[in-house]
Amino acid sequence: MTKAACRWASSQYNKGIIGTNRGQGWKIAKCDISHAKCSGISLGRNIVPTIDDDKVYPHRIKNNTIHDCGQTGIIGVEGNPSPIIEHNSIYNINVRQNLVSDDVSAINLSPAIGAKILRNCIHDCTRGIWLGGKVEDTQISRNVFYNNSLPDSFEVTNENREDLVAALGEDIEIKDSMGVTLIDNNFLLSDYALKLESKGVLLVHNLINGSVEWLSNTNVAENDPYYHRLYQQNAPESAPYDSSCFYNNVFIRKNLRSEMAKLIAFAHKQASEQPIDNHISDDNAAYVGLASGQRSYIPANKAGNIFMNDEQEDVKVAIDSSEDGVFLNSNICDYLNEDTSRVIAVGVTPETARDFDTDFLGKHREGISVTAGPFDTKEEYSQRLFRLLF
């Protein structure tokens, strides 16, 4: 399905090449969807349908190739119940940069309630995933992101920098998280990997090779290995979970191209000057495995992470894509030790907490000692990350 001149998609006008309107339970699979003026697939409508038996029938978007659309690959608004977006190849979204706003991304959900975004490959888009409007019980897991950024050739000036920041995208941007939003076992490899403008985001076992911006009640520390913190002024000191939390991730600081470094620094300065409202209400806590069946509360928002700096170490991270699929080309195994972290569990009580004991390939992490990052063993870094569909 290709070349549809649908106009700007939003809650007021929610059309794409494929549009579910007020429907539920659609299955969109094995399609090649391309060259929409705005959106490829649109889910939901601002009027939420009434269902007699009170059941929710999620949309399932699986095994599609979605590319060369002007605004979004997939957009969802009100009336978009618990979508499952799995194993799609999404690329070349908004590459012409003729549309600019938060509503531009490969996957854009507002709200994102009960959404599952799993095993997708998203690359060469302005932005990978944008979630906002109300984000609750949502998981972003086992995806590959790369080259989601501005084009290679641009120059930052005093006259154009605000326009460039408006067009600047990330692998993942989260706003308005009302509970724990899970980001686990992903490869986040673009220049601007994460922008977390909300508390209540839990990041576990990701490989992050790009700039990170996250909300904190603590002022920005110079040379902070976790990159840039958005300081929430006049916020009371609170529990560590009144923030975003990072457990068992691998951070590789990227040596950004000079113009991108200037632009991201300006974007961070702008973001730090903006007031941020947060209304998180969630009782989940994080626990670390001690021994079989035993868990201990983690009184901090960071634990078990590995940090590398490509300016100090010769760490290389790149993507190779061919007809055989998408592979990681990296020497990270030379710097990464196995089983240096402990298995993480999240839940209301230690007894009912959920273990993060499955890695990127779906393999079980054995025991309580685990390896930071998406893979449980170093040999898995030679495995295919994504099988191309078309």
Side-chain angles (χ1 to χ4, degrees):
M1 300 185 184
T2 187
K3 297 180 179 65
C6 40
R7 61 184 173 87
W8 183 263
S10 67
S11 58
Q12 284 71 45
Y13 181 87
N14 191 225
K15 302 290 187 183
I17 288 182
I18 301 174
T20 63
N21 265 336
R22 295 172 174 85
Q24 292 196 36
W26 282 47
K27 295 179 181 179
I28 304 171
K30 299 181 181 179
C31 297
D32 190 329
I33 300 166
S34 73
H35 297 91
K37 181 71 173 178
C38 289
S39 292
I41 298 175
S42 66
L43 308 175
R45 189 71 182 269
N46 56 321
I47 300 174
V48 179
T50 301
I51 303 172
D52 293 338
D53 57 10
D54 293 327
K55 289 184 180 178
V56 172
Y57 300 92
H59 298 305
R60 297 175 181 269
I61 317 300
K62 186 173 182 179
N63 291 343
N64 300 284
T65 297
I66 307 170
H67 58 100
D68 293 284
C69 298
Q71 180 190 346
T72 63
I74 302 170
I75 188 168
V77 297
E78 291 286 357
N80 160 42
S82 308
I84 300 168
I85 302 172
E86 183 175 9
H87 201 257
N88 300 281
S89 177
I90 309 178
Y91 59 92
N92 288 357
I93 304 298
N94 190 236
V95 292
R96 294 173 63 188
Q97 296 265 307
N98 55 339
L99 300 171
V100 175
S101 89
D102 283 346
D103 293 333
V104 169
S105 54
I107 299 174
N108 191 288
L109 302 180
S110 177
I113 300 174
K116 305 295 181 189
I117 303 173
L118 315 172
R119 301 192 307 121
N120 301 281
C121 184
I122 300 174
H123 65 93
D124 292 285
C125 303
T126 290
R127 178 182 289 112
I129 292 175
W130 185 96
L131 305 180
K134 182 180 182 184
V135 185
E136 187 175 326
D137 190 29
T138 286
Q139 182 176 17
I140 302 171
S141 179
R142 298 167 62 192
N143 302 279
V144 179
F145 301 84
Y146 64 96
N147 289 347
N148 298 306
S149 188
L150 290 172
D152 288 339
S153 56
F154 67 90
E155 183 179 353
V156 179
T157 66
N158 290 336
E159 291 73 30
N160 71 3
R161 60 184 185 176
E162 291 195 9
D163 290 337
L164 286 172
V165 165
L168 181 63
E170 315 80 18
D171 281 335
I172 300 175
E173 180 176 358
I174 308 281
K175 292 185 176 182
D176 305 316
S177 178
M178 306 293 291
V180 171
T181 298
L182 301 177
I183 301 176
D184 68 279
N185 292 296
N186 299 282
F187 286 84
L188 303 162
L189 308 180
S190 301
D191 289 344
Y192 205 165
L194 285 166
K195 186 176 183 180
L196 308 177
E197 297 180 273
S198 178
K199 304 172 188 176
V201 182
L202 174 63
L203 297 101
V204 185
H205 282 290
N206 301 284
L207 191 152
I208 303 169
N209 181 215
S211 178
V212 174
E213 183 174 280
W214 58 285
L215 187 68
S216 172
N217 287 338
T218 308
N219 270 314
V220 177
E222 214 169 305
N223 298 320
D224 182 354
Y226 298 95
Y227 310 112
H228 184 79
R229 286 178 287 179
L230 292 171
Y231 176 51
Q232 190 181 23
Q233 292 185 343
N234 303 319
E237 291 298 325
S238 54
Y241 306 113
D242 197 12
S243 172
S244 290
C245 297
F246 303 87
Y247 302 120
N248 294 359
N249 302 284
V250 174
F251 290 87
I252 304 175
R253 188 186 290 278
K254 179 177 288 186
N255 185 15
L256 297 171
R257 44 197 161 124
S258 61
E259 294 303 297
M260 179 59 74
K262 290 179 195 175
L263 186 60
I264 289 179
F266 180 67
H268 287 170
K269 182 176 183 298
Q270 273 196 330
S272 297
E273 294 169 352
Q274 300 298 318
I276 296 177
D277 259 345
N278 272 278
H279 34 263
I280 179 173
S281 175
D282 194 273
D283 296 325
N284 281 316
Y287 305 89
V288 64
L290 296 178
S292 179
Q294 297 181 358
R295 298 185 177 113
S296 177
Y297 174 78
I298 304 177
N301 69 339
K302 297 187 283 289
N305 300 298
I306 302 295
F307 179 77
M308 304 176 189
N309 190 331
D310 69 358
E311 293 181 351
Q312 299 171 5
E313 302 160 307
D314 193 21
V315 184
K316 295 182 175 63
V317 179
I319 287 289
D320 287 340
S321 178
S322 68
E323 291 182 355
D324 295 329
V326 175
F327 295 83
L328 186 71
N329 182 0
S330 176
N331 63 349
I332 184 176
C333 294
D334 296 342
Y335 301 92
L336 184 65
N337 294 320
E338 293 183 352
D339 297 336
T340 58
S341 303
R342 296 293 182 95
V343 67
I344 296 293
V346 174
V348 177
T349 67
E351 295 76 23
T352 61
R354 167 198 169 184
D355 285 327
F356 282 89
D357 57 1
T358 301
D359 75 0
F360 179 88
L361 294 178
K363 295 183 179 179
H364 181 67
R365 291 184 168 102
E366 298 288 346
I368 60 168
S369 293
V370 296
T371 303
F375 290 131
D376 191 41
T377 61
K378 292 197 291 187
E379 66 182 18
E380 291 180 283
Y381 278 91
S382 63
Q383 300 293 306
R384 179 170 50 204
L385 303 184
F386 187 85
R387 182 191 295 271
L388 296 175
L389 302 171
F390 293 100

